Amino acid sequence: MSEHPRDASAWTREHVAGLERTDDNTTPIIYPPEHNTDPDNHIWDTWLLRTPDGTIADVDGYRVIVALSAPNDLLPGKRHDVATHRFYYSRDGREWTPGGRVFASDANVLGSRQWAGSAIYDPDTGEASLYYTAAGERDEADLSYTQHLAVAHGGTVDADEEGVRFEGPWTHETLAHPDGEWYEREDQSRGMIYTFRDPWYFEDPESGDTFLLFEGNTPVPDGSEACGGDPVGQEFNGSVGIARASSDDPTECELLPPLLDAVCVNQELERPHVVYRDGTYYLFVASHRHTFAPGVEGYDALYGFAADSLFGEYEPLNGSGLVLTNPANAPFQAYSWLAYGHRDEVLVTSFFNYYDYDRPTLDDVAYLPEDEQFRRFGGTLAPTVRLGIDGLDTWIRGTLGHGHLPTTEEELPETEAERIARLRSERGEPGRDGYGSG
Ligand code: FRU
């Protein structure tokens, strides 16, 4: 077991003050795809089936994604209240076939609905461990927002000529509740919805130790000095949590102190995950504009931090932490980004969220006529973003098609921006800022 410091790294108001859109972090406008990933369901929050060391699983020539889903005739804003896991599979990483519900039966599934997680596959046995957020409690009469970490194990993922199947029975077990000391419990929460969710499995390539990262909140007791004693600022206390996991026993989980927190800065550091490149741990989270504390501003965006060990100390990428965001005239077009290594670059997938919509906040979606709420919601995989990374600097290199998650063999061509920059330089013409400027 590696050593870890007790103090979390901090994402501070000073870091965030430097945050701004530039050509290097702003994605192009997204247009609706010809057809959605799933013709019957809206999907959001996607993760790839991986082997324990993080490699994308190859199930007899298929790669598999799991996503949160809700029927597409349900008002998009209500989807979190009914979310279930569905899976999709593809041979070429472009065309996805809907495989149906991950858990064929609701029996024993934890929570009144299931939120984001991660999925680990053992290529030798076909067995899978499916980590997820149990949101609410099973069979609750009124929808609650309590959350805990859970795992389903004992089932398999198989493929035959018909396609890919998730096969139970699955044993569902609770892994962790917030402890109230490192991780805020619901009854301690003073602000917007507390968080204890999105378990993400990670095997540290340097130590071989295995962990679950998750989204939490750092308790800030009444009368604390944080934010100069400002009780409103103190309500914003997002953290990246970590627990020790076991590669042999998926039900083992021991909470450790958080890796990073954003007290007085931001309430939600969502879907934390790590990409390891050349000795550096890149920690990514998604967050919303409306979850920043009063007095600091940010966007719906992917934020990132880097450290030379899993336990930190983490420094924000690009000075502020901002890695990529939506353009100013479509500020909510994508969300819930997930970065992963592909050959010598990093790719980022996300879902197509609200488009043709530039109100200051997502909350105003609820004031649109219902048909407009449906029309302006993507509910499908967004274009994949190609990200350049060098030390603490990142830049957008270009984008791929909606839901194009290339197979490991697929070598991606030079991006259009890079090609233009190369031709300019070959012709001795002056360069221009923009994608690919590095
Ligand atoms: C991010 C998120 C996740 C959560 C899910 C619920 O998009 O807030 O943290 O698991 O949505 O739908």
Side-chain angles (χ1 to χ4, degrees):
M1 186 59 219
S2 43
E3 286 301 305
H4 54 81
R6 310 295 291 181
D7 290 328
S9 302
W11 192 25
T12 67
R13 292 170 78 91
E14 289 69 39
H15 296 141
V16 171
L19 192 157
E20 60 172 346
R21 285 193 173 90
T22 65
D23 286 344
D24 280 338
N25 62 34
T26 306
T27 56
I29 283 276
I30 301 176
Y31 296 97
E34 264 167 47
H35 54 84
N36 281 5
T37 316
D38 186 326
D40 304 316
N41 296 282
H42 285 142
I43 66 168
W44 68 103
D45 287 24
T46 297
W47 54 99
L48 287 142
L49 181 69
R50 297 174 296 135
T51 61
D53 70 0
T55 309
I56 297 173
D58 178 334
V59 184
D60 287 343
Y62 291 104
R63 58 189 35 212
V64 180
I65 53 174
V66 178
L68 300 188
S69 72
N72 60 10
D73 56 2
L74 177 77
L75 205 62
K78 299 250 182 265
R79 69 188 192 279
H80 307 284
D81 298 349
V82 303
T84 57
H85 294 183
R86 286 178 181 273
F87 69 98
Y88 303 84
Y89 54 90
S90 173
R91 282 200 187 279
D92 62 4
R94 289 169 195 258
E95 297 298 323
W96 295 92
T97 304
R101 295 274 297 269
V102 165
F103 306 123
S105 145
D106 282 334
N108 305 320
V109 176
L110 297 171
S112 57
R113 64 273 189 213
Q114 291 72 47
W115 289 354
S118 53
I120 298 300
Y121 169 80
D122 179 341
D124 297 329
T125 61
E127 282 181 38
S129 300
L130 308 175
Y131 298 91
Y132 66 93
T133 309
E137 300 293 349
R138 244 193 101 73
D139 304 324
E140 62 192 3
D142 298 318
L143 211 62
S144 80
Y145 288 87
T146 142
Q147 296 148 49
H148 67 268
L149 311 184
V151 67
H153 60 98
T156 57
V157 183
D158 295 312
D160 58 21
E161 46 310 325
E162 309 259 294
V164 172
R165 286 186 318 262
F166 277 58
E167 211 130 24
W170 300 92
T171 305
H172 294 263
E173 296 192 54
T174 290
L175 289 177
H177 288 278
D179 62 331
E181 246 178 77
W182 289 328
Y183 301 103
E184 188 173 73
R185 290 187 315 262
E186 193 175 16
D187 62 318
Q188 297 169 297
S189 175
R190 299 198 248 145
M192 48 180 70
I193 170 178
Y194 91 113
T195 73
F196 194 75
R197 58 181 187 249
D198 303 351
W200 189 81
Y201 186 94
F202 180 65
E203 181 182 288
D204 182 344
E206 291 189 4
S207 65
D209 294 338
T210 49
F211 301 94
L212 291 173
L213 268 61
F214 57 89
E215 172 182 0
N217 295 100
T218 295
V220 181
D222 278 335
S224 147
E225 293 296 300
C227 328
D230 167 25
V232 176
Q234 291 174 1
E235 292 175 9
F236 296 80
N237 56 351
S239 78
V240 173
I242 185 164
R244 187 182 309 177
S246 155
S247 49
D248 306 322
D249 177 358
T251 66
E252 225 176 79
C253 177
E254 182 203 344
L255 293 180
L256 300 173
L259 288 185
L260 175 106
D261 65 19
V263 174
C264 312
V265 176
N266 194 307
Q267 165 77 1
E268 293 191 336
L269 306 184
E270 309 221 81
R271 300 193 64 208
H273 57 283
V274 169
V275 177
Y276 179 81
R277 308 297 282 179
D278 304 327
T280 302
Y281 295 75
Y282 289 95
L283 168 63
F284 293 101
V285 297
S287 195
H288 287 293
R289 175 176 176 165
H290 70 265
T291 56
F292 279 91
V296 278
E297 276 179 43
Y299 312 120
D300 276 40
L302 177 73
Y303 296 93
F305 308 84
D308 56 15
S309 102
L310 176 60
F311 288 95
E313 170 107 4
Y314 282 94
E315 277 187 68
L317 296 176
N318 308 309
S320 67
L322 178 60
V323 172
L324 65 85
T325 187
N326 299 315
N329 58 350
F332 305 108
Q333 67 172 6
Y335 191 64
S336 206
W337 294 268
L338 181 87
Y340 64 97
H342 173 73
R343 302 173 77 98
D344 59 0
E345 66 182 304
V346 170
L347 299 179
V348 186
T349 180
S350 66
F351 77 98
F352 190 21
N353 200 7
Y354 287 97
Y355 62 97
D356 202 3
Y357 176 83
D358 64 357
R359 297 282 309 154
T361 160
L362 267 184
D363 293 338
D364 287 1
V365 166
Y367 298 107
L368 296 173
E370 289 200 354
D371 58 337
E372 283 299 302
Q373 296 186 41
F374 280 109
R375 184 182 72 76
R376 300 187 201 194
F377 183 66
T380 191
L381 292 170
T384 301
V385 178
R386 297 176 68 180
L387 198 67
I389 293 197
D390 183 12
L392 290 172
D393 295 330
T394 68
W395 64 97
I396 294 173
R397 298 180 55 203
T399 55
L400 304 172
H402 283 262
H404 179 185
L405 308 180
T407 58
T408 313
E409 296 70 45
E410 188 177 339
E411 228 175 296
L412 297 172
E414 184 178 45
T415 67
E416 193 171 76
E418 287 163 353
R419 180 164 173 276
I420 292 170
R422 179 173 54 76
L423 291 176
R424 273 215 181 91
S425 109
E426 280 169 16
R427 293 172 189 171
E429 292 161 7
R432 242 192 20 209
D433 284 347
Y435 295 154
S437 61

